[in-house]
Amino acid sequence: MNTSVEIAGVSFKNPVMTASGTFGSGMEYAEFADLNRLGAVITKGVANVPWPGNPTPRVVETYGGMLNAIGLQNPGVDVMIERDLPYLQQFDTGVIVNVCGKSVEDYIEVVEKLSDQPVDLLEINVSCPNVKEGAIAFGQKADALYNITEQLKKHAKQPIIMKLSPNVTDIAEMAKAAEAAGADAISLINTITGMKIDIDKRRFALANKTGGLSGPAIKPVAVRMVYQAAQAVKIPIIGMGGIATAEDAIEFILAGATAVAVGMMNFHDPYATMSVIEGIEKYMQMQHVEDIRELIGAVHD
Amino acid sequence: MNTSVEIAGVSFKNPVMTASGTFGSGMEYAEFADLNRLGAVITKGVANVPWPGNPTPRVVETYGGMLNAIGLQNPGVDVMIERDLPYLQQFDTGVIVNVCGKSVEDYIEVVEKLSDQPVDLLEINVSCPNVKEGAIAFGQKADALYNITEQLKKHAKQPIIMKLSPNVTDIAEMAKAAEAAGADAISLINTITGMKIDIDKRRFALANKTGGLSGPAIKPVAVRMVYQAAQAVKIPIIGMGGIATAEDAIEFILAGATAVAVGMMNFHDPYATMSVIEGIEKYMQMQHVEDIRELIGAVHD
Amino acid sequence: MAKKKKTQAKVLSQRMLADGICDLWLETSLAEHVNPGQFIGVYPANASALLPRPISICRVNEGRNALRLVYRIVGKGTAEFALYQPGEYLSVLGILGNGFPMEKAAGRKVMLMGGGIGVPPLLELAAQLKRLPEGQKPSQISIVMGYRDAQTFLKEEFEENGALYIATEDGSVGSRGNVLDAVRENHVEADVIYACGPMPMLRAIKKYAQDNRIQAYISLEERMACGVGACLGCVCKTVHEDAHSHVNNTRICTDGPVFNAEDVDI
Amino acid sequence: MAKKKKTQAKVLSQRMLADGICDLWLETSLAEHVNPGQFIGVYPANASALLPRPISICRVNEGRNALRLVYRIVGKGTAEFALYQPGEYLSVLGILGNGFPMEKAAGRKVMLMGGGIGVPPLLELAAQLKRLPEGQKPSQISIVMGYRDAQTFLKEEFEENGALYIATEDGSVGSRGNVLDAVRENHVEADVIYACGPMPMLRAIKKYAQDNRIQAYISLEERMACGVGACLGCVCKTVHEDAHSHVNNTRICTDGPVFNAEDVDI
Ligand SMILES: Cc1cc2nc3c(=O)[nH]c(=O)nc-3n(C[C@H](O)[C@H](O)[C@H](O)COP(=O)(O)OP(=O)(O)OC[C@H]3O[C@@H](n4cnc5c(N)ncnc54)[C@H](O)[C@@H]3O)c2cc1C
Ligand SMILES: Cc1cc2nc3c(=O)[nH]c(=O)nc-3n(C[C@H](O)[C@H](O)[C@H](O)COP(=O)(O)OP(=O)(O)OC[C@H]3O[C@@H](n4cnc5c(N)ncnc54)[C@H](O)[C@@H]3O)c2cc1C
Ligand SMILES: Cc1cc2nc3c(=O)[nH]c(=O)nc-3n(C[C@H](O)[C@H](O)[C@H](O)COP(=O)(O)O)c2cc1C
Ligand SMILES: Cc1cc2nc3c(=O)[nH]c(=O)nc-3n(C[C@H](O)[C@H](O)[C@H](O)COP(=O)(O)O)c2cc1C
Ligand code: FES
Ligand code: FES
């Protein structure tokens, strides 16, 4: 049985990854999950310099999901190079670094610093709804997305994955813009902007007012967008949004994702990635699927 | 204690309504809910002629919600005038008719036929994700929304509510377009486009492939959009999306909704509207709120 | 008809009838005036699953205020229901749907045909048909049930209510094949058919009835959301324009689940 | 430290300690090597509520593999937990956080200050401090607890472990006011403070400790998602750059919940 998949020439032993920002740098979940079994770890977004993030409360639970407004707190790319990448090097797993910035220059600085590092792929976060400057501004207009993708392609040594925002009218248009500008892959979805109000205190539940919705609640939106993107582009897709079980992961793969990432549900079940990996193998056995690549995009018109 | 609210000069005894398409024409739920206690019944979308809707399966459950692709099946406005409006006339409740069409002319025909009917407000559905022609096409581009709103204002005798789609990049822009074109109110959100795949049969769970996501899962997105719309326009807002309890309804009101509608959760609890009405009164008592209008938009910057 | 309501039902008993098939008795005020073929919506307690599950009524005991459901474990909801113990409560919505038109049976030879998990509602029908007063009673009750294999759940109870013929897919009991194979093999005759089961079986029965000029009433299934006729989720295509919808679509939850086979386009 | 894990814990007993305050004993393998002040994440079974609820450990019984939680019913999760009966299982994540630095107590006068639902973790701390071997033991243990009213839950158990002073908001027991009012009224002296309670109380204690040159270790609360340091949801501002985050933010779930009051900007 083959469960390995390839993205932009890099091979991963299986399609199961961890969604950026929900798995730290791997270290935090190493007590629960065997990182050696993961297709890849996608690390928390990292900028050129340390970012403090937003004030608290930063997280709040919602029905079947949660809102977060972390605001991309991160220790900066230098710390990642000194501390986190060497840590991940110990494991037999793919390493994808998620990159954020406030300006195109910020992003370029990060990808250049990572150019000689043991990083398989770069995931460019242009879709975080929780920071005022940059980020989502690049991810909600096709021409802005095209521009930043094109520029990063010039500076990035590793292949780049553009991480798309679901907060758009037409996801296919965004996927096409990324592909046209040279992106090696796309990942989606980032969180959907949401809000919760504390009716007792009559104030916003999050200090940032709005936050990004993730978890099982959003899965149908994510599957739809992955499907629409898969119909629109030829580059590989990493699908995410509410994945809790192998069944969820397989839905994304059938819709057109080459790989998948488990996000918020790590918080509910720190072993979630492990059972997703096992469940995919079981499904393949039951359904007599020899090679997982038969499943990618197998459901379509 | 005053729970009555006003929309475009029409007064409703309380802000609790039923979301279009989830309450039939009221008749179906009259065995459960006392229609006399409702602020208003918003009826299933009606077109100029009968529509057969989409093939089945048309509904599928999702985590904390459901997808529907009914495709606006309806018996046409003549049947509504002969059968459904007289039925609703028996009750002491507001009547809001939801209108759909494939072309601007269709919509105009319906609103003109309704002009001398006992209808308080017209809700114009330009946001149904489940029909190929018309509908959502008018609701995803600000200029298209502006045009149809402007034209309908010329022909509608009753005030019009433009029902907005959440499947847009910028809800504030859409709200502003509706207001600028003369809409008397807006309602939001309609369903978010989603998809479910049956992994055993390896096919789409809905015959229409995609459907509209509703239910508690989408509430944080709906509250956010109501808030953003309320910041952008002065016309009243009817808020909906996942309301199950009085607490949910109050969240929408605090975010800026003048009225609210219970949708999918009628299916879970056919008495939901009644307990929302009671719960709002209880909250007002506990929080010493004399007039519900104090709560509208009370949470903001 | 009694008013529909959502209410709590107390589990009286639950046991396994066959692999993955559960037999559940509920105590509920809904157990009044039930027509065979009607169903209820059963709500999972799991907060992620908000829609009621349509389950047919397999038996009614009005005196005890009790309803019996026989259901197959297929997903989240039914897997949860299978865990309920006597004394626990389930939320139910009902009574839903129309039921089988028993008045068509008067003085005629009727045949009840069930397949798979479509078998249960026919048990109450058989029981009520048998109890009908002289003049309304059928002249003959034949029961033809199709199962996968030797796990012929409810067999003994059907035998008490009429002549039972069984078909099994693997041939382990009765005729090998489907219910129509059993009908042919046993030369079962009928003026009226009441049927419930998977769509291919119902299609075959519709054709068989047409070819043999038999009236057939068939119980249909479709995905439902509201169960009460409001959402238009559960429609079936009709041959003629439907009186309520004004298109060729009828609501299975309220205008069905039982239809005259001639009226529906399946 | 033991490896963190998510596991099933068996309810041994549950009772109400005061209005809306529950006292729950769980049997779980997590009950090894617990530092007072550490906490666990308790998962609601309700599928709409997916995040673990952080609850401090109130007592440990290593021999019986048992943990005690004392919690207030405030929302969906705690309301559900309150329904669990002996023999039922809850999912828990732990052991989480650092706990109070007991080594600071050696030979010194310590004061334990708790307010409201911040009271419970100090009970295990009091018990462990009292049991410390000669040389590591504090020279004196004073316990100052603040309650709303006469429902002074855990009072008797605190009395077994040190000199107890009580403050109540309504003045019904002990000093009227907050814990600092009780400290002043009773002239309680200390070299080291261990505190847990609402933020305004902790702020006041921080100031009191600074003014009186006392070392204060305070246990903080914040909304959490992961509980294990991955999501960066639960941060608190720090006075100096944090070694892990490289900004002035520290994670309460892993680097806390107990901090030296001087290090955090509250
Ligand atoms: C009128 C009617 C009567 C029925 N009577 C019986 C009966 O007596 N015994 C029995 O075992 N089954 C019966 N069914 C089928 C039963 O409704 C489904 O097996 C059940 O809903 C599955 O729920 P689940 O949560 O276990 O499955 P899941 O697959 O987890 O359910 C997901 C969603 O799909 C719906 N769904 C799944 N399968 C079906 C189906 N076949 N028909 C309609 N909705 C479905 C569920 O209601 C739910 O909304 C009947 C269906 C209908 C329409
Ligand atoms: C380190 C730590 C230790 C704690 N120890 C105790 C204890 O021993 N006893 C006790 O009664 N309470 C304790 N709390 C508070 C407890 O976590 C909350 O009361 C509980 O999470 C509320 O859950 P709920 O589902 O009932 O409320 P809901 O309001 O329905 O919860 C919704 C969400 O908000 C979170 N939340 C709500 N209130 C708080 C809060 N005060 N702090 C953190 N998260 C919150 C919940 O975890 C959940 O994610 C502690 C909190 C922390 C951070
Ligand atoms: C707490 C939290 C932090 C996140 N941080 C990042 C981030 O730094 N960069 C990024 O691209 N996405 C981030 N995300 C988005 C996730 O990677 C993922 O796209 C999203 O949560 C949807 O997946 P899920 O529903 O499985 O969580 C974050 C999500 C959460 C919940
Ligand atoms: C089965 C179904 C049918 C619907 N039909 C209509 C419709 O005809 N016209 C319309 O404007 N909205 C329709 N809607 C959308 C609802 O009115 C509402 O905007 C949406 O479901 C969000 O609210 P909820 O989450 O409370 O259901 C329909 C929704 C459902 C679930
Ligand atoms: S299930 Fe809603 S109309 Fe039948
Ligand atoms: S709760 Fe996630 S870092 Fe603390």
Side-chain angles (χ1 to χ4, degrees), chain D residues 53-54 56 70-72 74-78 117 221-223:
Chain D
R53 273 48 180 167
S56 299
V70 169
Y71 62 93
R72 172 171 280 144
V74 296
K76 216 189 231 183
T78 48
I117 201 64
E221 268 192 20
E222 188 48 80
R223 302 284 152 150

Side-chain angles (χ1 to χ4, degrees), chain D residues 224-234 251 253:
Chain D
M224 297 186 174
C226 70
V228 301
C231 74
L232 307 182
C234 66
R251 295 166 302 179
C253 67

Side-chain angles (χ1 to χ4, degrees), chain B residues 75-280:
Chain B
V77 66
D78 297 333
V79 173
M80 159 153 288
I81 290 171
E82 279 160 41
R83 181 185 64 194
D84 299 338
L85 294 180
Y87 176 80
L88 285 171
Q89 273 287 92
Q90 301 172 264
F91 299 94
D92 174 26
T93 183
V95 174
I96 301 180
V97 173
N98 182 279
V99 177
C100 57
K102 287 174 182 158
S103 64
V104 178
E105 292 66 38
D106 288 357
Y107 285 95
I108 291 176
E109 194 182 330
V110 179
V111 304
E112 288 188 335
K113 284 202 169 157
L114 291 170
S115 64
D116 57 355
Q117 291 296 319
V119 170
D120 293 309
L121 298 170
L122 300 166
E123 181 182 52
I124 312 300
N125 179 5
V126 286
S127 44
C128 177
N130 299 322
V131 293
K132 299 255 152 15
E133 320 85 338
I136 204 165
F138 298 112
Q140 286 187 314
K141 292 227 167 77
D143 52 354
L145 177 64
Y146 184 96
N147 285 338
I148 188 167
T149 307
E150 194 180 33
Q151 297 219 41
L152 287 176
K153 267 312 281 179
K154 288 189 201 136
H155 295 85
K157 181 107 170 297
Q158 293 92 346
I160 66 170
I161 308 161
M162 298 306 292
K163 182 158 180 181
L164 304 185
S165 170
N167 299 297
V168 296
T169 306
D170 185 355
I171 195 73
E173 183 197 2
M174 303 304 290
K176 280 184 203 157
E179 181 180 54
D184 300 284
I186 52 175
S187 60
L188 67 164
I189 61 175
N190 209 317
T191 54
I192 309 180
T193 312
M195 174 181 282
K196 178 155 175 163
I197 288 173
D198 180 328
I199 67 165
D200 294 322
K201 305 199 176 119
R202 293 200 215 161
R203 63 172 189 225
F204 302 106
L206 294 172
N208 189 52
K209 292 196 288 185
T210 58
L213 184 63
S214 57
I218 67 168
K219 197 189 70 177
V221 180
V223 172
R224 182 262 296 184
M225 289 193 166
V226 164
Y227 176 79
Q228 290 176 332
Q231 302 305 300
V233 299
K234 294 207 169 57
I235 50 177
I237 295 172
I238 305 177
M240 66 199 75
I243 295 178
T245 64
E247 289 70 33
D248 297 334
I250 294 160
E251 247 190 282
F252 279 86
I253 294 170
L254 291 171
T258 296
V260 294
V262 178
M264 176 212 160
M265 286 306 271
N266 288 303
F267 311 156
H268 179 71
D269 174 11
Y271 311 107
T273 45
M274 300 294 110
S275 47
V276 169
I277 292 167
E278 285 159 24
I280 290 176

Side-chain angles (χ1 to χ4, degrees), chain A residues 199-276:
Chain A
I199 68 165
D200 294 321
K201 305 200 178 117
R202 293 201 214 160
R203 64 174 190 224
F204 302 106
L206 294 172
N208 189 52
K209 293 196 288 186
T210 59
L213 184 63
S214 57
I218 67 169
K219 197 189 70 176
V221 180
V223 172
R224 182 262 297 182
M225 290 193 166
V226 165
Y227 176 79
Q228 290 177 331
Q231 301 305 300
V233 300
K234 293 208 170 54
I235 50 177
I237 295 173
I238 305 177
M240 65 198 77
I243 295 176
T245 64
E247 288 71 33
D248 297 334
I250 293 160
E251 246 191 285
F252 279 87
I253 294 170
L254 291 171
T258 296
V260 294
V262 178
M264 173 209 163
M265 286 307 271
N266 289 302
F267 310 157
H268 179 71
D269 174 10
Y271 312 106
T273 45
M274 300 293 110
S275 46
V276 170

Side-chain angles (χ1 to χ4, degrees), chain D:
Chain D
M1 248 200 301
K3 236 176 121 176
K4 286 172 196 156
K5 58 185 166 192
K6 180 178 178 185
T7 180
Q8 293 285 97
K10 185 174 164 184
V11 174
L12 293 173
S13 68
Q14 172 141 255
R15 64 185 179 118
M16 280 287 205
L17 270 192
D19 290 350
I21 310 273
C22 299
D23 181 357
L24 175 68
W25 275 99
L26 295 174
E27 183 179 277
T28 160
S29 58
L30 297 181
E32 285 174 20
H33 319 291
V34 174
N35 296 331
Q38 288 189 300
F39 62 102
I40 63 174
V42 187
Y43 287 93
N46 184 324
S48 74
L50 295 167
L51 298 177
R53 273 48 180 167
I55 308 279
S56 299
I57 291 161
C58 169
R59 286 312 313 264
V60 191
N61 186 325
E62 274 201 43
R64 283 170 65 215
N65 253 335
L67 288 182
R68 180 185 186 183
L69 309 179
V70 169
Y71 62 93
R72 172 171 280 144
I73 301 176
V74 296
K76 216 189 231 183
T78 48
E80 181 194 307
F81 303 153
L83 300 175
Y84 282 76
Q85 302 288 332
E88 295 184 327
Y89 285 85
L90 269 167
S91 289
V92 294
L93 178 76
I95 297 292
L96 308 177
N98 56 3
F100 291 101
M102 290 195 291
E103 68 282 6
K104 308 288 177 188
R108 303 166 81 188
K109 284 187 262 186
V110 303
M111 173 154 68
L112 279 52
M113 304 178 83
I117 201 64
V119 160
L122 297 170
L123 183 57
E124 180 64 21
L125 177 63
Q128 290 205 20
L129 284 173
K130 203 187 158 196
R131 279 208 307 261
L132 283 175
E134 226 43 68
Q136 296 173 34
K137 232 188 170 124
S139 62
Q140 179 187 308
I141 304 180
S142 309
I143 303 172
V144 190
M145 295 293 139
Y147 298 93
R148 287 181 190 167
D149 53 33
Q151 302 210 30
T152 54
F153 54 90
L154 301 178
K155 173 173 176 284
E156 290 72 22
E157 295 177 70
F158 274 111
E159 280 168 347
E160 291 166 18
N161 292 291
L164 178 65
Y165 307 92
I166 285 181
T168 52
E169 284 172 33
D170 65 1
S172 55
V173 181
S175 313
R176 176 186 300 272
N178 60 33
V179 282
L180 284 171
D181 294 313
V183 168
R184 286 185 203 103
E185 227 177 274
N186 297 289
H187 309 287
V188 188
E189 290 188 354
D191 308 312
V192 180
I193 289 174
Y194 298 112
C196 184
M199 193 53 96
M201 172 183 130
L202 297 179
R203 282 202 194 97
I205 289 175
K206 176 174 173 165
K207 186 167 180 310
Y208 175 83
Q210 261 166 349
D211 293 349
N212 295 279
R213 296 166 175 276
I214 304 174
Q215 278 192 324
Y217 296 92
I218 58 179
S219 180
L220 302 181
E221 268 192 20
E222 188 48 80
R223 302 284 152 150
M224 297 186 174
C226 70
V228 301
C231 74
L232 307 182
C234 66
V235 299
C236 171
K237 291 223 157 298
T238 53
V239 175
H240 309 289
E241 187 184 293
D242 179 68
H244 180 267
S245 72
H246 289 257
V247 291
N248 289 18
N249 264 348
T250 187
R251 295 166 302 179
I252 291 176
C253 67
T254 35
D255 304 319
V258 180
F259 295 95
N260 185 331
E262 282 180 5
D263 295 341
V264 288
D265 179 10
I266 57 173

